[in-house]
Amino acid sequence: MDRRAFLRKPAAVLVAPVAAKPTPAPSAAAPLATDPPETVSRYANTKLPTFSRTSAGLSPYTGPWTRVQAAHLLRRCLFGPSKSAIAAAAGASLSQVLNALFTVPAAPAPPVNVSATDTSVPIGQTWTTQPFDQTFESARRSSLRAWWLGQVLQGSTLTEKMWVFWHNHFVIEFSDINDARYGYQYVALLRQHAMGNIKQLAKDVTVAPAMLRYLNGNQSTATAPNENYGRELLELFTVGKGPQIGPGNYTNYTEADVQAAAKCLTGWRDNATTISGYFTASRHDTSTKTFSSAFQNRTLPNTGDQEYKALVDLVFDQAETARFLVRKLYRWLVYYVIDADAEQNVILPLAQQLQQNGYNVAPVLRTLLSSEHFFDAVNVGCYIKGPLDFTLGLCRQLEIAMPPAASPAVQYGIWDYLNSITNLQQQVLGDPPSVAGWPAYYQTPQFNELWINAVTLPRRSQFTDLMVSTNGTTRNGFRLVVDPVTWVESLPGSVASEPNLLIQAFVEVLMPFPLTASQLAFLNDTLLPGLPDFEWTTEWLDYVANPTNTAKKNAVATKLRALLRTMLSQAEYHLS
């Protein structure tokens, strides 16, 4: 495939189809033949705003700490917080909540085989140490994707959000490398460093077998240096382009720098038996590599299998590398618009902190997430959810029951189904559409608006409607469905029985900010169309007094499902 097709998007992108990577999905979730053509809305941004959004900087936040602020922090750090998580956070201090979010959990056990097709290992045992076999590749890749989504779905720390961030940054595509074992090693590497040192992650990724295969580093020799990885290392992974100063030359690197970087990286290959990168000295360019004034005209002598580390160190010595990385972190966790004030008050000081502490990312993230800027009202509910946020968030916010780990085939089947849902919304875990990642995180000026289009918006609604329907969906004998009665039963009795307090409880979990009085009145009328408030109180208390009475349970469940269907279709629910 052409991994750099993203570079040639025409200026007419506002009226042209948005590229979407076609990915097979289970037939039950396959796109309909009646899907409308995918185009960017004529109402989408044509340019970014130039006015200042906020002058708030990185001073520690000292304002109110309520469920609103707690939920905002958790929404940005997790793939959807539950009501109990929001309540616990609101009852703790900001520092205590951050301590919990920044606790790195133990590495999960590797993915297991759940397919009768893969006969290399029994069901429930890992395939990650087995020899490659093309016959089993599809089943193993599905297992890997399902496992990864399952770990993200179950996670309760910032690690999971950063795990996906690094996948969108140091991109590979499972379908291109065609070895799920390589994919698993890559995924495990990203998780290992998700909250750690970016420079070390860059070094490890450079010689990871998945990356060597994906960007053709395994083909790079002294006589024919392959420039793919060297180019992406500079343009997409570290220092970025900066303004163009000539054909192929940019402020932050030149075409000659790409060529020099490529020479530094020659000699590396991947071993499919040991699942590792290895170095062959006879294939390595032994000359001294000279870089441009963008890198202070520095030179790197031949150091064999250690030379790639020297190259990474050289690139990370540049102040612009820290700024480039911080901008991507900001767009992932805060907002996609970086105006002059945000650049001056947030990006530059965070970049300086990142560089000064040797590219350890956790202290920088903590400074950002505890700042006045992060909690400024303009940064609350301004972010359009991506498909993973939207889909997994619904499962977590409405506490949809999941299969037990004791039934791996059933568990993976549900995770695979959720993957099919995010795929239809154009976010395929393990297969971003290009080496640049998902366009919503880099394509200016639309950015996150790209998640909402004529194809994906109906898909979102179909999923939420299905989950709040009476039957939901069944996979491998397990029913995936929202149980609104159980959700409400976990509320204090005084809240569950009072319709306006009940609606407010749903709002605090599902919406990124308080709704208006007219919106709340509309939701009240949805719950109780044309009826006085006491009707809900009477019906709910009747049910509580007779919980085994099917008719009474169905009466309250029907009203709650109508309420949720309406709330999940509101524009605010698509925001974080």
Side-chain angles (χ1 to χ4, degrees):
M1 65 167 292
D2 183 356
R3 301 187 185 92
R4 296 184 60 78
F6 70 95
L7 289 176
R8 294 186 293 279
K9 286 191 175 180
V13 69
L14 289 176
V15 295
V18 179
K21 187 180 184 67
T23 301
S27 57
L32 299 174
T34 55
D35 275 347
E38 181 191 347
T39 57
V40 178
S41 169
R42 58 187 173 133
Y43 301 108
N45 280 340
T46 57
K47 62 180 179 179
L48 292 177
T50 56
F51 58 84
S52 174
R53 298 177 65 249
T54 174
S55 60
L58 296 174
S59 298
Y61 175 71
T62 58
W65 182 250
T66 69
R67 287 174 180 257
V68 173
Q69 290 78 31
H72 170 58
L73 177 62
L74 295 183
R75 283 191 185 95
R76 297 303 178 85
C77 294
L78 307 174
F79 287 96
S82 66
K83 66 176 180 298
S84 59
I86 294 172
S93 68
L94 171 57
S95 179
Q96 290 171 326
V97 176
L98 287 171
N99 287 344
L101 288 170
F102 278 70
T103 299
V104 178
V112 299
N113 176 36
V114 293
S115 171
T117 302
D118 188 349
T119 56
S120 65
V121 293
I123 300 292
Q125 292 188 18
T126 188
W127 44 263
T128 58
T129 55
Q130 298 300 309
F132 174 79
D133 190 319
Q134 188 65 57
T135 307
F136 308 144
E137 177 60 19
S138 177
R140 291 176 178 179
R141 202 180 304 167
S142 294
S143 165
L144 175 59
R145 291 188 206 277
W147 170 85
W148 192 0
L149 181 137
Q151 307 315 307
V152 170
L153 174 64
Q154 298 174 120
S156 60
T157 72
L158 182 56
T159 296
E160 289 76 32
K161 204 67 174 278
M162 293 305 299
W163 194 2
V164 180
F165 170 83
W166 291 120
H167 174 43
N168 183 65
H169 183 73
F170 291 110
V171 173
I172 71 157
E173 300 173 57
F174 291 168
S175 58
D176 276 21
I177 63 172
N178 192 43
D179 192 328
R181 304 169 310 150
Y182 279 34
Y184 169 66
Q185 188 192 74
Y186 157 83
V187 167
L189 177 64
L190 296 186
R191 191 190 181 284
Q192 175 189 346
H193 293 292
M195 298 290 289
N197 189 278
I198 306 174
K199 186 193 294 188
Q200 187 59 51
L201 174 57
K203 290 177 179 178
D204 292 349
V205 161
T206 297
V207 294
M211 186 64 77
L212 287 170
R213 182 174 290 187
Y214 178 60
L215 288 179
N216 311 114
N218 58 359
Q219 302 172 15
S220 192
T221 66
T223 55
N226 188 292
E227 296 177 5
N228 283 355
Y229 185 78
R231 186 177 304 281
E232 310 307 3
L233 176 68
L234 299 180
E235 179 181 338
L236 299 177
F237 301 165
T238 58
V239 74
K241 286 181 175 180
Q244 188 170 12
I245 58 177
N249 295 331
Y250 300 90
T251 308
N252 299 333
Y253 69 86
T254 67
E255 197 65 21
D257 293 324
V258 171
Q259 295 164 4
K263 293 177 181 178
C264 292
L265 298 167
T266 53
W268 284 92
R269 308 178 77 177
D270 64 288
N271 187 314
T273 300
T274 61
I275 318 175
S276 62
Y278 70 98
F279 182 77
T280 303
S282 62
R283 292 164 60 98
H284 181 63
D285 186 308
T286 59
S287 66
T288 296
K289 291 79 178 178
T290 301
F291 290 81
S292 73
S293 58
F295 295 92
Q296 300 79 49
N297 299 309
R298 288 171 58 179
T299 59
L300 293 180
N302 172 42
T303 52
D305 64 353
Q306 300 300 301
E307 198 167 327
Y308 76 96
K309 298 179 182 178
L311 171 63
V312 171
D313 286 338
L314 169 66
V315 176
F316 275 77
D317 282 345
Q318 309 307 307
E320 185 54 39
T321 294
R323 292 192 283 266
F324 181 83
L325 291 168
V326 166
R327 291 186 194 108
K328 291 198 72 171
L329 291 167
Y330 182 92
R331 288 190 170 113
W332 187 257
L333 294 169
V334 184
Y335 193 47
Y336 58 77
V337 174
I338 302 177
D339 57 34
D341 278 345
E343 179 75 12
Q344 186 64 38
N345 300 332
V346 179
I347 303 301
L348 295 183
L350 283 180
Q352 186 176 31
Q353 180 186 5
L354 182 62
Q355 195 169 29
Q356 287 175 346
N357 68 24
Y359 286 93
N360 290 306
V361 74
V364 171
L365 295 177
R366 184 157 187 142
T367 297
L368 175 62
L369 295 172
S370 61
S371 69
E372 288 182 345
H373 184 87
F374 179 78
F375 287 101
D376 191 288
V378 301
N379 288 324
V380 177
C382 62
Y383 200 91
I384 297 173
K385 296 175 185 174
L388 280 168
D389 257 324
F390 185 86
T391 304
L392 303 188
L394 178 75
C395 297
R396 292 164 62 101
Q397 290 168 326
L398 293 179
E399 300 170 26
I400 297 177
M402 293 290 163
S407 304
V410 179
Q411 188 180 54
Y412 276 60
I414 292 297
W415 292 342
D416 185 64
Y417 167 72
L418 293 175
N419 260 326
S420 75
I421 297 300
T422 63
N423 293 357
L424 291 175
Q425 297 171 36
Q426 300 175 353
Q427 189 170 32
V428 184
L429 192 61
D431 272 281
S434 78
V435 69
W438 289 289
Y441 302 116
Y442 70 82
Q443 188 65 55
T444 187
Q446 298 85 37
F447 288 102
N448 291 60
E449 291 183 4
L450 294 172
W451 290 130
I452 304 292
N453 57 56
V455 171
T456 61
L457 185 57
R459 292 306 183 190
R460 291 184 178 218
S461 296
Q462 288 168 9
F463 176 65
T464 55
D465 286 351
L466 181 62
M467 288 298 100
V468 299
S469 68
T470 303
N471 295 321
T473 188
T474 299
R475 292 292 185 277
N476 293 43
F478 185 87
R479 191 161 67 106
L480 198 68
V481 66
V482 171
D483 183 349
V485 176
T486 298
W487 197 96
V488 174
E489 283 178 323
S490 67
L491 297 171
S494 59
V495 174
S497 61
E498 207 289 315
N500 297 305
L501 294 179
L502 169 64
I503 290 169
Q504 186 58 42
F506 276 117
V507 168
E508 288 178 352
V509 174
L510 298 176
M511 304 303 186
F513 41 70
L515 299 184
T516 66
S518 61
Q519 286 176 309
L520 293 173
F522 175 76
L523 292 176
N524 180 288
D525 194 53
T526 301
L527 180 68
L528 296 166
L531 300 173
D533 287 358
F534 70 78
E535 289 286 351
W536 171 258
T537 305
T538 300
E539 283 196 56
W540 180 256
L541 293 179
D542 280 350
Y543 160 70
V544 171
N546 302 276
T548 59
N549 186 302
T550 301
K552 293 184 184 296
K553 182 175 183 178
N554 287 343
V556 294
T558 298
K559 287 181 170 60
L560 290 172
R561 292 186 190 282
L563 173 65
L564 285 174
R565 188 176 297 108
T566 298
M567 293 186 74
L568 298 176
S569 68
Q570 289 181 288
E572 288 82 358
Y573 183 67
H574 295 267
L575 300 175
S576 172

